[in-house]
Structures are given as structure tokens and as C-alpha cells.
Amino acid sequence: MLIFKAILSFLQDKEYLELLYTTAIVLVFGTFVFHYLEGWRWLDSLYFCVITLTTIGYGDFTPRTDLGKIFNIFYIIIGLGLILSFIQTIRDHYMNIKQKNQ
């Protein structure tokens, strides 16, 4: 029950919701770009984007075209920014809850 309460409190946080929307837009954009540049299936493109943005990088898909490689460089930089923003938002949310409880 605690996990549902935590998720609900995050979904009520405007900053967190904006970050979720931004992440969804970046995932969809990346999926379209890799689908067309690399000729991957939609699911493979989405999978690659999620793996890239989470910095897991299994290596089972890699861009082969020059444009795909160039786009991936910028996509990774954006992904790192998103990950850091998530960490900061979660920290801020936790600190706000902690201050309210004191």
C-alpha cells in the first residue's frame, strides 16, 4: 500500500508530471528517428530508446548509419539530462514530504 501512496504523490507533483511528459516525448521522437534512420521495427526502435535513456546499453542493437550514430550521440546526452532530472525531482519530492511531516 505504501508504494501506491508514493506513486500517487509523485503523480500529483507538477514537476514530476512534466518530466514524465518530456520523457515520453523524447522516447516517441527517438523511436521515430531510429525507425526511419536504421530501418528497425517500431518495437526494436522503442526498445533501443529505453535501453539508451536508462544507460543500460545491452549492445544487441547499435546504430549502423552515420546519421543514426550522430543522432545517438545527442540522444545519449539528452538521456543523461533526463536521468539526472529524475534523480533531482525525486530528491526534491522526498525533501518536501519530509519537511511537511516535521
Side-chain angles (χ1 to χ4, degrees), residues 3-93:
I3 187 109
F4 293 117
K5 188 175 180 181
I7 290 171
L8 211 87
S9 71
F10 273 117
L11 292 177
Q12 293 171 346
D13 186 339
K14 183 183 176 210
E15 187 177 354
Y16 188 76
L17 276 178
E18 289 173 356
L19 195 53
L20 280 178
Y21 293 141
T22 303
T23 302
I25 290 168
V26 169
L27 281 173
V28 168
F29 179 70
T31 299
F32 273 91
V33 171
F34 286 115
H35 173 75
Y36 289 108
L37 287 181
E38 298 297 324
W40 295 337
R41 297 179 314 138
W42 290 106
L43 182 60
D44 293 337
S45 298
L46 176 62
Y47 169 78
F48 179 77
C49 290
V50 170
I51 296 304
T52 300
L53 287 183
T54 57
T55 68
I56 293 172
Y58 289 125
D60 49 350
F61 286 94
T62 55
R64 303 271 186 233
T65 65
D66 288 342
L67 281 176
K69 291 174 184 177
I70 291 169
F71 176 76
N72 199 39
I73 291 169
F74 293 105
Y75 197 71
I76 289 170
I77 292 169
I78 290 169
L80 289 174
L82 281 173
I83 295 295
L84 292 174
S85 295
F86 263 109
I87 292 169
Q88 181 67 35
T89 302
I90 290 170
R91 181 202 160 276
D92 291 346
H93 185 79

